Amino acid sequence: MIANVGCSSLAMAFLAALYGAIAAAYGARRARPRYVESARHAMLLTWPLVTVSALAIIWLLVSGDYQIHYVASVTSNSMPTYLKVTALWGGQAGSLVFWSWLMAAFASAAGIRKWHRDRELLPWVVVVTMVTLAFFLGLVVFFENPFARLWLTPEGRQVTALFQPRGTTPLIPSDGQGLNPLLRHPGMIIHPPTLYLGFVSFVVPYAFAIAALVTGRTDDRWVRITRRWTLVAWLFLSLGLILGGRWAYDVLGWGGYWGWDPVEIAALMPWLTGTAFLHSVMVQEKKGMLKRWNVILIILTYALVIFGTFLTRSGVLSSVHAFAQSAIGPLFFLFIGVTFVASLSLLIKRWDDLKSENQLGSIVSREALFLFNNLLFMGILAVCFWGVIFPLISELFTGQKVTVGPPFYERANSPLGIGLLLLMAIAPLSVFGQTSWKLLGRALWKPLALSFMVPFFSALRGTTNLGALLGYWVISLITLVTLYEFWRGALARRRRHGESLPVALWKLTSRNRRRYGGYVIHLGVVLMVLGVIGIEIFQTETQGTLVQGEQLTLDRYTMIYESLTQFDTQDGRNVTRAVVSVFRDGKNVGELYPRRDFYYSSQQPMTIPGVRSTLEDDFYVLLVGWESIGLSGATFKVYHNPLVNFLWIGGLVFILGTMVAAWPDRGPEPVLKLAKKRAATARSKIGGLR
Amino acid sequence: MMKKSTFTLSIAISLLFLLLLSGVAAAQDHEPTDDEVNAIAKQLYCPVCENIPLDVCPTQACVQWREIIRQKLAEGWTEDQIKQYFVDQYGDRVLATPPARGLNWLVYILPPAVFVVGAYLLFRVVRGWRQQAVMETPIASISPDDPYIARLEEELQKRDR
């Protein structure tokens, strides 16, 4: 019954989305507002319909209706309820429904707010969002239906079908297979939804860009409308990436936070183009330049969002994340191809209308530096994209699979990343328009001179690694420049309004949130880079097999193997848990409990590290193996990860900065006011000419 | 003449044999440590658990691979020989990056090529703008001492109103 309700509401949502797309396009083309209004109502209907469907799935998951194939494949009796709920996005069909649910919500949000203000653009926004939604809903209705049931043929074969095939009997398993062990983690509550939120909200700026292209509104209206959407999308995508890193660090047991896994890269790629877009869009707002480029960037971001979902959902790449595999791959491929070509054709049609209104002031002007920033982001994108698809190309043409692993990405991206960091240090001091090297030099020399202090002193204290010293120098420079920016802004305010420094700082930030929020993000990046330097350059590791009472030493740490126990848990795991005592500089600092969980149902082991975490460093212990008889001997792999916590602290600062930048304004934005004023003067001028 | 060459050969063979024997003996003296095994395992990927380096992969298959590395090290094999052994058995995919030959060259050439083309395009666009800019008079007027502060103050004043 519940399944039928969910399934029919899913089908209705699909029809509503399809109708909305067609009616909106027809109404806008033929100038029939009634059709557009009707399309809008259809769009507003999709969200409640998909909500009903998603709730139905959650109901089935929690109540354990194992005749539903999806329920049987991602849940089991022993799973805690919160994991059963999160199983909505733990498998193929459910996660596509979840995607659609978010898409419907965002489309409705874009359509409810300020519908009357942007009448011209909104019909096309409806078209784009509803086409996207209809595609995803079509996939779930026709190919990956989460409500399909299990049936048993008279020959004893198991079939999956929505309706009872003739001559079969319902098959109701007593237990399900359960969620992939990798996903049984509290991170499951938040990491996939944030990533999806990031993915889906990028569809909205794309939809406005396409609407601008179709209607021929070549001003920066679409950019202004979607500024906050873009920031919010970017916020969630960044948060999703950071949380994913933390999750990997906590449970995957490889001592790191980022493994250049294809699925990680799939989420990183739209982030790269999105970040480039966030920067270059400012040039369009300020100078009316880069209009074509910004459209290209948002088209790319959309394509990469769908491509990212495709990579994780099609099973085309096998990786730790590609737990769901099915035949929907070709459809995804087709959809990406068609939307990409259609978007580009629209762009080409409007190419001449999107001419730059301004010229580049100087090679060191803010706009020029933003262009270099974009070049570097595109460089990283090229490396990532190529690294991900090359194994497929190789397999296709030579039949041989190859691995493109971390060394490739690290070697290729490091110089580009350092270039980006340098720009981050210089660009805040440059200005838009006419400027010169001299002007930039005058602003830069003080922070530059000071920035050499940190690498100098750390070299004195015995750091000999050139990469680390270079890294210290760059991040000191960024920090100094950024703080200098806050400082001189606050000073200017104090001079002007006689405010105390803290008040001046507060007002400065709260009234230029995007600018100063951006700087806070830069400071977050600085902290994260510090963590990356810690792991990439200073991480050490060792491994040893110990009998009880023996010890293993790494840097300043010593661990003693105390004991090992093995037991079964209620949720179908066999846990092998070691107790080790940890000493730092000979002083006991506590016990750690590294363990290995073996999941009976999926026959998969999971390695959960024991970690002692301080601001200075992490001591990270993995239980690699043990003597099965007597449990007397065990093998441990230990890592010493200096500074790694700065990665997470930096992540928090990063997110905080994004929230500052994206926080809603109270009154109308000053830039908008400025635009209005400009428009008014232009009108009066035209009036005067008449 | 004939006899002499046979003699030299037999000497050479027995010398070689002795050398090998001593090599094996030397290697057997030294039981490879886990860290030595991992140093090699880190660079290898098993075909089953894709994208997880061998040194940290918990599956049974990977445990066996690490045992093979340990055995080979004990037998005195070098790092390159061991890697080659796995390549021969399972193909190039066991290596962290594809060996630079044939089609694989594309992996290494394409991204820098794209970057260079991008840089060139950027250069041309920038040059085009600059030429235009020289022809036209600059639009923005700039206050001489510090344009940023001037603009900031102007903005702030506007907001405070």
Side-chain angles (χ1 to χ4, degrees), chain A residues 265 378-388 404 408-410 412-413 416, chain B residues 111-112:
Chain A
I265 297 171
M378 290 303 106
I380 297 179
L381 175 70
V383 169
C384 291
F385 184 75
W386 192 232
V388 166
V404 179
F408 167 78
Y409 296 104
E410 279 163 13
N413 286 337
L416 299 172

Side-chain angles (χ1 to χ4, degrees), chain A residues 252-255 259-262 286-287 289-290 318-320 355-363 366 368 371-372 375-376 378-380 382-383 386-387 390 393-394 397-398 400-408 411-412 416 428 431-435 439 442 485 488-490 492-493 495-497 499 507-508 511-513 515-516 519 539 541-545 596 605-607 622 624 635-637 639 670-671 673-674 677, chain B residues 33-39 41-60 63 66 70 87 90-99 101-123 125-161:
Chain A
L252 288 185
W254 57 38
W260 295 105
D261 172 280
K286 288 261 188 218
K287 306 279 291 179
M289 298 164 76
L290 304 182
S318 32
S319 74
V320 288
K355 254 180 68 175
S356 219
E357 292 165 19
N358 253 318
Q359 279 81 43
L360 193 73
S362 152
I363 202 78
R366 184 71 72 87
L371 272 175
F372 295 135
L375 176 68
L376 292 170
M378 290 303 106
I380 297 179
V383 169
W386 192 232
F390 183 77
I393 291 178
S394 169
F397 289 104
T398 64
Q400 216 191 34
K401 240 188 133 151
V402 291
T403 306
V404 179
F408 167 78
R411 240 176 287 153
L416 299 172
V431 289
F432 281 104
Q434 288 297 340
T435 181
L439 221 54
R442 210 160 61 188
E485 276 291 283
R488 63 178 185 170
R493 271 199 75 97
R495 254 204 322 264
R496 177 110 218 138
H497 305 283
E499 295 161 350
K507 288 206 166 167
L508 181 77
R511 300 198 175 176
N512 296 270
R513 275 195 310 272
R515 181 190 190 101
Y516 291 97
Y519 289 153
Q539 184 182 50
E541 60 178 85
T542 187
Q543 183 176 320
T545 304
R596 177 76 66 88
M606 285 281 292
T607 312
L622 293 171
V624 177
T635 307
F636 295 94
K637 182 162 183 148
Y639 293 88
V671 197
K673 270 197 250 167
L674 201 73
K677 215 167 89 188
Chain B
T33 64
D34 286 344
D35 288 340
E36 284 165 345
V37 173
N38 280 337
K42 204 188 251 311
Q43 305 168 43
L44 295 171
Y45 289 76
C46 99
V48 189
C49 345
E50 275 170 280
N51 300 304
I52 304 175
L54 188 60
D55 64 326
V56 285
C57 188
T59 58
Q60 204 51 44
V63 173
R66 289 197 289 268
R70 189 186 304 278
V87 170
Y90 304 96
D92 286 341
R93 62 186 309 183
V94 300
L95 299 173
T97 50
R101 60 161 181 267
L103 186 72
N104 292 346
W105 272 109
L106 278 178
V107 180
Y108 303 102
I109 287 174
L110 204 87
V114 168
F115 186 75
V116 169
V117 170
Y120 174 71
L121 285 177
L122 184 67
F123 168 74
V125 169
V126 168
R127 202 179 53 178
W129 278 341
R130 298 265 291 159
Q131 275 165 359
Q132 271 179 304
V134 170
M135 282 188 288
E136 292 167 28
T137 44
I139 298 160
S141 61
I142 292 137
S143 79
D145 64 69
D146 194 337
Y148 166 70
I149 293 293
R151 189 166 307 184
L152 181 80
E153 300 223 9
E154 187 190 296
E155 273 278 290
L156 292 175
Q157 247 182 315
K158 223 171 270 157
R159 277 155 215 254
D160 286 345
R161 246 179 245 154

Side-chain angles (χ1 to χ4, degrees), chain A residues 99-158:
Chain A
W99 212 104
S100 311
W101 181 72
L102 292 174
M103 183 74 255
F106 287 171
S108 305
I112 288 174
R113 289 200 68 214
K114 321 219 165 111
W115 172 260
H116 295 287
R117 202 183 60 191
D118 300 295
R119 280 231 137 160
E120 194 183 355
L121 295 178
L122 280 163
W124 296 102
V125 173
V126 174
V127 174
V128 174
T129 51
M130 287 303 107
V131 164
T132 311
L133 181 60
F135 168 70
F136 276 91
L137 286 174
L139 286 181
V140 274
V141 171
F142 299 108
F143 299 95
E144 277 292 331
N145 199 308
F147 299 102
R149 295 183 175 91
L150 293 168
W151 309 94
L152 202 62
T153 62
E155 302 86 57
R157 226 162 26 86
Q158 179 184 319

Side-chain angles (χ1 to χ4, degrees), chain A residues 61 70-76 79 82-91 176-185 188 247 323 599 601-602 604:
Chain A
L61 287 168
Y70 183 72
V71 176
S73 65
V74 293
T75 55
S76 58
M79 270 165 55
Y82 86 89
L83 276 181
K84 286 183 180 169
V85 175
T86 62
L88 173 63
W89 50 81
Q177 291 157 6
L179 203 60
N180 184 319
L182 280 174
L183 304 180
R184 297 190 190 189
H185 183 267
M188 187 66 184
W247 189 354
F323 35 82
Y599 286 82
S601 56
S602 57
Q604 259 177 293

Side-chain angles (χ1 to χ4, degrees), chain A residues 524-545:
Chain A
V525 173
V526 163
L527 292 171
M528 291 172 85
V529 170
L530 196 59
V532 172
I533 291 174
I535 279 226
E536 295 298 328
I537 297 178
F538 295 118
Q539 184 182 50
T540 50
E541 60 178 85
T542 187
Q543 183 176 320
T545 304

Side-chain angles (χ1 to χ4, degrees), chain A residues 462-481:
Chain A
T463 308
T464 49
N465 188 300
L466 279 181
L469 291 176
L470 175 70
Y472 290 156
W473 170 66
V474 179
I475 58 178
S476 325
L477 185 58
I478 302 171
T479 312
L480 286 166
V481 164

